Amino acid sequence: MVTTHVTIVATSLDASSKSQLLARHAAKVLEERGVSHTLLDLRDTPELAAPLKQATHLIFAVPVYNFDVNAAAKQVIEDHGGALEGKTVGFLCQAGGQRSYMSVLGFANSLMLDFRCWIVPRFVYATGNDFEEGEQLGETIRGRITELLDTLMQGNSPVIGG
């Protein structure tokens, strides 16, 4: 039996990142539910290989720039793609506007096709309007994060290497 472990990869390198706020809220919900998890903040996490291998489920918290995920997120799959193989993956996206909502699809396709990841089709896409007073997540976006986590955790984890 595989023990469920969710690893959240917060890829923004910005000190005032809103995608980091999304990641921390997801970690808080997992903590409240008693789900084993790790929050990897790329701003201060030197070692990624072991936590990525340990994960049964992954969540990428990504900022969206120029209609794509940030370069740091792409670097994770370039450097550690093998550790992602067969994982169930969800997304928390933070963008400047409404028009980039499909921006994560190229990244998701790479995970799905190159590394045989299971992609959760429900992802969170937040803009500045989803935050109260700039730093607090609004009720709607908190609910969307909960829906993502519920969908991510449904059923059994896929068999790694099966």
Side-chain angles (χ1 to χ4, degrees), residues 78-153:
E78 287 294 323
D79 293 345
H80 303 287
L84 308 178
E85 184 103 15
K87 312 283 183 174
T88 301
V89 180
F91 298 98
L92 299 169
C93 306
Q94 167 59 34
Q98 295 292 335
R99 300 190 193 277
S100 299
Y101 67 94
M102 292 176 51
S103 58
V104 77
L105 294 180
F107 188 73
N109 282 339
S110 180
L111 289 168
M112 182 177 62
L113 298 173
D114 295 337
F115 304 107
R116 304 296 186 242
C117 292
W118 299 86
I119 305 300
V120 176
R122 176 185 304 278
F123 59 92
V124 174
Y125 183 87
T127 67
N129 294 334
D130 294 307
F131 295 84
E132 298 168 358
E133 300 179 21
E135 296 296 319
Q136 298 295 321
L137 297 176
E139 183 178 338
T140 300
I141 209 68
R142 288 193 315 265
R144 298 270 332 266
I145 291 171
T146 299
E147 287 178 334
L148 170 69
L149 294 172
D150 290 344
T151 304
L152 183 80
M153 303 305 294

Side-chain angles (χ1 to χ4, degrees), residues 5-7 9 40 47-60 75-89 110-111 114-118 158-161:
H5 186 87
V6 178
T7 296
V9 185
L40 298 178
E47 169 57 38
L48 300 180
L52 291 173
K53 285 180 186 176
Q54 176 189 15
T56 56
H57 300 73
L58 293 167
I59 297 173
F60 280 91
Q75 193 66 46
V76 170
I77 64 173
E78 287 294 323
D79 293 345
H80 303 287
L84 308 178
E85 184 103 15
K87 312 283 183 174
T88 301
V89 180
S110 180
L111 289 168
D114 295 337
F115 304 107
R116 304 296 186 242
C117 292
W118 299 86
V159 176
I160 307 301

